Amino acid sequence: MKKARLETMLPGIGVFGTGDIVRALVPFLRAKGFRVEAVWGRTLDAAENVATELNIPFHTNKVDDVLLRKDVDLVFIICQPDLHAQIAVKALGIGKHVLCDRPAGLCQRATRVHGMMRTFTKSTEKINGIRWIDSDDFCSFQMILDGGICVTATLNSHMAGGFVQEVVVCGSRGRLVVRGANLYGQNTSLDREELIHEGPDDVAHLTNKNSNARINSLLPQPYLQGLFRLVGALKEAFATGDGEHGWLKEPVSSAATFEDGQYVQAVIDAIKLSSASRQWEQVTVANDENELNPLMTRLNLPNINMSSLDALSQAPTNRPPPQRKVTSSESHLPWSFATKH
C-alpha cells in the first residue's frame, strides 16, 4: 500500500525523442517507479517503433498531443537541439515540469577558445547525389579557463568500435586519467599508472534487459551512470510531495540550470566562430534577450532570440509565454531542469 501511494505521487512522464538515450532512459524511469505515459517522435513511424519496443501507451509526432495530456506532468526533452527551445518554452508556459538534455560544464569556465571543425563524411549509401551531409563529424579545440588552466579536446566520430572516452589531467606531481567509468593515476615517481577507482556497473542489467547491445556500445558508461542517478534524484525530489510545489529542491540542487546551458552554448558558438575565423575567440554570453548572438553577427547569419521564440509558445494552447526568468526552481545536474510554479 505504501509503495502504491509513493508511485502515485510521482509525475507521469512524456518523452520527446526516439534515439538511443530514450531506450536507456525509459527503463531507468520505470525502475524508480515513474510512469512513462507518452513519447513524441519527429515522424509517426519513429514514435510508433519506440512506443512498441518500450511498451509506451501513447505515441505521436505532434508536440501538443504530449504536452496537453493530463497524465503527463514532467517532460524529458531529448530530441534534436533545434526543437529544445520551442518545446521547453511551451511546456513551462502551460505548467509542466521540464528536464532538457543540454551539454553541461559546471565546474570551470572558459574565457577564450580556439577550434577547428570539419565534415569529413559528406555522403553515405542513403545520403548522396544531390543530397549531402553538412553537420560536423570532427572537432578539435583548445580552451583557456578563468583560472589559467589550458584544455585540449578532440571529438572524433570516425573511431572504429564502440564509444571511447579518455580524459587526462596533468599536474606537477603526476597525472589522472579517466577511461570510461574508471579512474587511474600515476605519480611522477612511479613507472606505471594505478587503478584508483573502478566505476560501478549497477545500470548494466537495466540496459541489457530492456535494450539491445547497441545502446551499451554507443552510450558512454559515465553518461549512463549519471542518467541513472539523475532519475533517482528526481524520484527523491517528487516522492515526498511536501514541498511548496509538490517537490523538494534539495535532491536536485546540483542539477544544471538553463543559464548553465546558455553558457555551454556560448562556448560552442565561440568554437564555431574560431573555426571560421581561424583565430582565438572570446567566450561571450548574451545578457539580454534582444542582444545579438555574436556568432550570428560575425558570420552574418540570422539571429534567433527570445522574441522569435514567443511565437512558438502561442496557439494552439492559447496561453501566453512565461513572463519570468526560470531561476528559483532550477537545479544543477548535467541536464537543465526547471519546474512549474
Side-chain angles (χ1 to χ4, degrees), residues 62-270:
K62 297 180 180 179
V63 171
D64 289 347
D65 286 353
V66 174
L67 294 182
L68 297 180
R69 288 183 64 89
K70 294 182 179 180
D71 56 2
V72 170
D73 201 40
L74 167 63
V75 296
F76 278 72
I77 304 176
I78 324 174
C79 54
Q80 54 270 38
D82 61 305
L83 296 178
H84 286 188
Q86 172 188 355
I87 299 173
V89 169
K90 181 174 286 190
L92 290 170
I94 63 177
K96 304 290 185 180
H97 301 291
V98 174
L99 208 152
C100 188
D101 180 17
R102 288 294 303 158
L106 307 178
C107 298
Q108 297 169 327
R109 298 297 194 197
T111 57
R112 290 187 296 152
V113 299
H114 184 275
M116 179 189 71
M117 306 175 71
R118 291 289 185 272
T119 303
F120 289 112
T121 301
K122 298 184 178 181
S123 63
T124 65
E125 293 181 358
K126 296 183 178 180
I127 302 178
N128 52 51
I130 62 174
R131 303 173 61 214
W132 67 90
I133 300 171
D134 60 5
S135 59
D136 306 301
D137 53 25
F138 176 87
C139 179
S140 181
F141 61 93
Q142 296 171 290
M143 297 189 297
I144 297 179
L145 306 186
D146 54 9
I149 297 175
C150 299
V151 176
T152 300
T154 298
L155 308 176
N156 188 352
S157 64
H158 300 284
M159 300 291 289
F163 182 92
V164 178
Q165 173 180 280
E166 184 175 83
V167 179
V168 181
V169 180
C170 298
S172 59
R173 299 177 58 184
R175 64 188 175 100
L176 294 173
V177 183
V178 178
R179 295 190 185 95
N182 297 333
L183 174 64
Y184 301 86
Q186 183 174 358
N187 193 288
T188 53
S189 61
L190 301 178
D191 295 331
R192 64 182 65 182
E193 63 184 25
E194 299 177 338
L195 177 63
I196 298 177
H197 174 76
E198 187 172 5
D201 199 23
D202 54 354
V203 301
H205 69 285
L206 292 174
T207 52
N208 288 332
K209 179 180 178 181
N210 296 276
S211 305
N212 53 43
R214 182 171 180 267
I215 305 301
N216 293 318
S217 65
L218 290 181
L219 297 181
Q221 191 64 213
Y223 187 95
L224 291 175
Q225 294 287 345
L227 186 60
F228 187 65
R229 282 159 178 71
L230 169 64
V231 173
L234 285 175
K235 177 183 178 179
E236 186 178 350
F238 283 106
T240 60
D242 296 331
E244 181 182 354
H245 308 294
W247 66 286
L248 292 179
K249 182 178 180 179
E250 184 177 357
V252 291
S253 60
S254 62
T257 65
F258 283 109
E259 282 81 5
D260 293 320
Q262 182 188 21
Y263 158 74
V264 175
Q265 186 61 53
V267 175
I268 295 174
D269 289 344

